[in-house]
């Protein structure tokens, strides 16, 4: 089974942020037509039946998953799925519509889309120099760059350096401070107002759910859950379940790990909370007969036409802790 991962889906050319890493809406429309012609698009309920009730999915099954709860998903994606009679599975961090606060992950995305990478790195290093040795202790900029600047599939090492420093390398409070300062410098916008523009509302989620879309769990604060203490991880999961209680079945829900970060303690915890399936960011084709159902891999939208045909070269094999 092919599980496809989407994030931003929007008209890019004339948007405020044409450099954001997004799938242009026209490409999404083309991709949906390609998938309809070459695969069988299945629902999350069918996938759940296949892992719990021996329901057999077609060989060319494909599942569509949408991360992070963006308003793009309501205004751009949802109408197309409705028109085509297709279900999408939407995974939403609870904080986005409960507190209407901008997540650090999205501050970083829009910082990167609003300035040249060399300028961002320069400003980031200046912030690191300012805070190092005062209230916080962390390695030199050179050492941090050596550790975290690694090329990945869709980002070069400079971009990954910025992401990792502001996502996980620094203490959480300092990450929040620096990301907010850079966001204000490069975008000059109110974070609260921007959050209201960026994320789905409770009413939109409810309508999508009532219209046949599947809603799942994506943590509360979009943290690297596998990197947290067990107590912190459990608190985030519990808060997300409470926030999403109107949209999920308490004993048959699906977890989508933010950043693909998880560990064995987390898997055991969500099992005990009624989770039936877990989605990662491991890049391969899912095999529901052999894969651990809490470690299902996904491919990116960019692995499929009209962006590429990478999906043809990606193999099946189990990688799970």
């Amino acid at each position: 089974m092919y599980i496809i991962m989407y994030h931003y889906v929007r008209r890019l050319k004339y948007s405020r942020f044409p450099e954001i890493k997004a799938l242009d809406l026209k490409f999404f429309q083309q991709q949906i037509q390609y998938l309809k012609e070459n695969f069988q698009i299945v629902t999350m309920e069918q996938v759940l039946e296949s892992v719990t009730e021996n329901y057999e999915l077609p060989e060319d099954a494909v599942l569509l998953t949408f991360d992070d709860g963006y308003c793009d998903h309501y205004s751009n994606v949802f109408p197309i799925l409705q028109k085509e009679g297709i279900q999408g599975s939407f995974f939403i961090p609870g904080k986005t519509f409960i507190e209407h606060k901008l997540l650090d992950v999205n501050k970083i995305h829009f910082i990167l889309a609003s300035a040249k990478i060399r300028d961002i790195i320069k400003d980031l290093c200046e912030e690191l120099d300012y805070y190092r040795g005062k209230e916080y202790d962390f390695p030199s900029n050179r050492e941090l760059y050596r550790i975290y600047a690694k090329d990945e599939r869709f980002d070069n090492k400079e971009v990954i350096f910025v992401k990792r420093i502001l996502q996980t390398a620094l203490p959480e409070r300092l990450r929040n401070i620096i990301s907010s300062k850079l966001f204000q410098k490069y975008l000059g916008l109110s974070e609260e107002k921007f959050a209201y523009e960026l994320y789905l509302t409770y009413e939109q989620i409810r309508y999508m759910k009532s219209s046949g879309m599947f809603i799942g769990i994506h943590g509360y604060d979009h943290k690297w859950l596998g990197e947290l203490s067990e107590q912190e991880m459990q608190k985030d999961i519990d808060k997300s379940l409470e926030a999403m209680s109107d949209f999920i079945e308490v004993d048959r829900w699906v977890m989508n790990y933010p950043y693909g970060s998880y560990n064995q303690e987390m898997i055991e915890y969500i099992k005990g909370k009624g989770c039936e399936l877990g989605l990662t960011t491991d890049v391969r084709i899912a095999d529901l007969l052999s894969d651990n159902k809490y470690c299902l891999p996904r491919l990116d939208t960019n692995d499929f036409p009209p962006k590429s045909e990478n999906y043809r070269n990606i193999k099946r094999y189990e990688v799970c802790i």
Side-chain angles (χ1 to χ4, degrees):
M1 178 180 69
Y2 299 85
I3 307 176
I4 307 180
M5 170 174 53
Y6 297 88
H7 290 88
Y8 304 102
V9 180
R10 51 178 57 187
R11 292 180 176 88
L12 286 173
K13 187 175 181 180
Y14 301 108
S15 71
R16 283 193 297 168
F17 303 100
E19 299 303 317
I20 195 74
K21 288 286 185 71
L23 180 67
D24 193 276
L25 183 58
K26 68 178 180 181
F27 291 148
F28 178 70
Q29 293 170 314
Q30 293 171 18
Q31 187 165 100
I32 290 298
Q33 293 306 313
Y34 180 86
L35 295 174
K36 285 184 65 179
E37 293 168 6
N38 293 275
F39 296 88
Q40 295 191 54
I41 302 174
V42 298
T43 68
M44 183 63 80
E45 288 81 6
Q46 289 174 309
V47 176
L48 287 168
E49 287 180 23
S50 73
V51 298
T52 61
E53 302 172 22
N54 295 319
Y55 175 82
E56 187 172 350
L57 291 175
E59 179 70 20
D60 56 354
V62 64
L63 179 74
L64 309 183
T65 66
F66 300 84
D67 293 13
D68 298 344
Y70 300 130
C71 65
D72 292 11
H73 300 162
Y74 183 81
S75 58
N76 297 332
V77 170
F78 177 47
I80 293 171
L81 298 184
Q82 270 196 312
K83 179 182 177 182
E84 299 292 345
I86 295 169
Q87 184 194 72
S89 295
F90 298 85
F91 296 89
I92 302 162
K95 188 175 185 178
T96 58
F97 69 93
I98 295 295
E99 300 184 41
H100 304 290
K101 290 185 177 178
L102 190 61
L103 301 176
D104 283 350
V105 62
N106 299 124
K107 293 180 202 176
I108 299 165
H109 289 165
F110 285 93
I111 290 166
L112 289 166
S114 302
K116 295 180 179 179
I117 188 63
R118 65 173 180 269
D119 294 331
I120 298 172
I121 291 177
K122 176 179 177 293
D123 288 339
L124 176 57
C125 287
E126 287 178 358
E127 293 293 334
L128 294 173
D129 288 340
Y130 177 80
Y131 286 103
R132 184 183 293 106
K134 295 183 178 179
E135 186 178 347
Y136 303 96
D137 184 27
F138 45 85
S140 69
N141 296 344
R142 184 182 296 275
E143 180 64 9
L144 288 171
Y145 193 84
R146 185 189 67 80
I147 295 170
Y148 293 105
K150 310 289 184 184
D151 289 332
E152 293 194 355
R153 279 221 301 159
F154 300 118
D155 289 317
N156 62 35
K157 63 183 180 181
E158 289 83 9
V159 170
I160 292 299
F161 171 70
V162 173
K163 285 185 173 182
R164 294 298 173 263
I165 295 300
L166 295 177
Q167 288 172 350
T168 188
L170 301 177
E172 181 179 0
R173 181 170 175 271
L174 183 56
R175 297 198 306 266
N176 294 340
I177 292 171
I178 295 177
S179 62
S180 288
K181 289 177 71 173
L182 295 178
F183 183 87
Q184 186 59 40
K185 175 174 182 176
Y186 288 119
L187 284 86
L189 301 172
S190 159
E191 289 187 19
E192 182 179 10
K193 182 179 179 181
F194 195 73
Y196 272 100
E197 295 176 1
L198 184 63
Y199 302 124
L200 294 167
T201 66
Y202 175 92
E203 290 74 19
Q204 289 170 335
I205 301 168
R206 182 175 61 183
Y207 183 64
M208 291 167 67
K209 169 76 173 177
S210 69
S211 300
M213 302 297 114
F214 184 88
I215 308 297
I217 299 295
H218 200 43
Y220 184 80
D221 203 16
H222 202 283
K223 295 181 177 181
W224 289 67
L225 296 174
E227 304 291 327
L228 300 180
S229 69
E230 188 169 358
Q231 183 179 14
E232 289 173 322
M233 174 271 292
Q234 292 179 2
K235 180 180 178 181
D236 189 272
I237 294 296
D238 291 347
K239 287 181 72 175
S240 67
L241 290 173
E242 181 180 0
M244 303 296 290
S245 60
D246 289 348
F247 310 117
I248 64 169
E249 296 183 39
V250 294
D251 59 349
R252 208 183 189 207
W253 52 274
V254 178
M255 180 72 198
N256 178 344
Y257 309 112
Y259 303 109
S261 176
Y262 63 97
N263 56 33
Q264 190 59 47
E265 289 75 19
M266 183 180 177
I267 290 175
E268 293 304 318
Y269 188 71
I270 62 176
K271 279 184 185 179
K273 290 287 185 173
C275 181
E276 282 286 1
L277 212 65
L279 303 179
T280 74
T281 56
D282 296 336
V283 183
R284 55 192 175 83
I285 302 168
D287 187 338
L288 297 183
L289 294 178
S290 61
D291 279 328
N292 183 322
K293 68 176 183 176
Y294 293 101
C295 306
L296 294 182
R298 295 187 292 168
L299 278 63
D300 192 83
T301 175
N302 292 296
D303 291 317
F304 290 83
K307 301 294 287 185
S308 79
E309 294 194 4
N310 289 343
Y311 78 92
R312 297 183 184 276
N313 303 316
I314 296 173
K315 303 183 183 301
R316 293 176 172 86
Y317 55 91
E318 183 174 8
V319 178
C320 188
I321 54 177

